[in-house]
Amino acid sequence: MTWIDYARIPVWTGMGALLLFLIMYLDSLTTRYQDIQEMKAGNVAVTTRFMMKLIAQAYILGQSIAKSDVIWEAIIISVVSFVLLFVLEWLARTVLSKLTHFQLEEGIHEGKIANALFAGSLHLAGALIIGAV
């Protein structure tokens, strides 16, 4: 490794952390409840889903950084991937709601761990697929 590689580490880490925070914040705005307030109140289902979403987003970010030589390229790939994952989640929730009357978000808000694990696994599966591209 050269000194430039060592200098890139804190810059890429800082930009990655900032982007991950921003993505998770924007994602929390799409839920029908307040993620942080629910977690503070001890809602394990919300916490479980949030953690799985965080892992999924971090995986996508890590893959985009690994595949990019320029930081701005990694940021653009991550943002596009986030939008794609958001659309996939919306489609899955809509199809589940229409076909099976299975309301993921309501169950998560009520503290149902099974709903949180199901929703979180959709994020993880999406992230693995998106990250492979």
Side-chain angles (χ1 to χ4, degrees), residues 4 8 50 126:
I4 293 175
R8 286 176 45 166
F50 188 87

Side-chain angles (χ1 to χ4, degrees), residues 28-44:
S28 73
L29 296 176
T30 66
T31 59
R32 294 186 178 130
Y33 48 84
Q34 298 293 322
D35 287 336
I36 301 299
Q37 296 303 323
E38 290 291 326
M39 287 188 281
K40 282 182 183 179
N43 189 329
V44 178

Side-chain angles (χ1 to χ4, degrees), residues 15-116:
M15 288 298 291
L18 181 64
L19 182 61
L20 189 58
F21 175 80
L22 180 63
I23 285 171
M24 290 303 294
Y25 173 74
L26 292 173
D27 189 73
S28 73
L29 296 176
T30 66
T31 59
R32 294 186 178 130
Y33 48 84
Q34 298 293 322
D35 287 336
I36 301 299
Q37 296 303 323
E38 290 291 326
M39 287 188 281
K40 282 182 183 179
N43 189 329
V44 178
V46 170
T47 305
T48 301
R49 179 178 183 233
F50 188 87
M51 288 175 19
M52 292 176 82
K53 288 168 92 171
L54 179 63
I55 292 167
Q57 293 296 342
Y59 179 77
I60 289 172
L61 180 61
Q63 289 297 308
S64 66
I65 289 171
K67 295 175 182 178
S68 301
D69 292 326
V70 181
I71 196 165
W72 300 112
E73 182 181 64
I75 290 172
I76 291 169
I77 292 170
S78 295
V79 169
V80 169
S81 298
F82 165 72
V83 170
L84 184 58
L85 190 58
F86 178 77
V87 169
L88 288 173
E89 178 195 15
W90 176 81
L91 282 171
R93 279 188 308 179
T94 302
V95 168
L96 280 171
S97 176
K98 299 288 184 198
L99 294 180
T100 65
H101 305 291
F102 186 39
Q103 302 295 327
L104 280 176
E105 276 204 41
E106 287 178 20
I108 294 167
H109 184 70
E110 294 168 2
K112 295 179 181 175
I113 299 296
N115 288 42

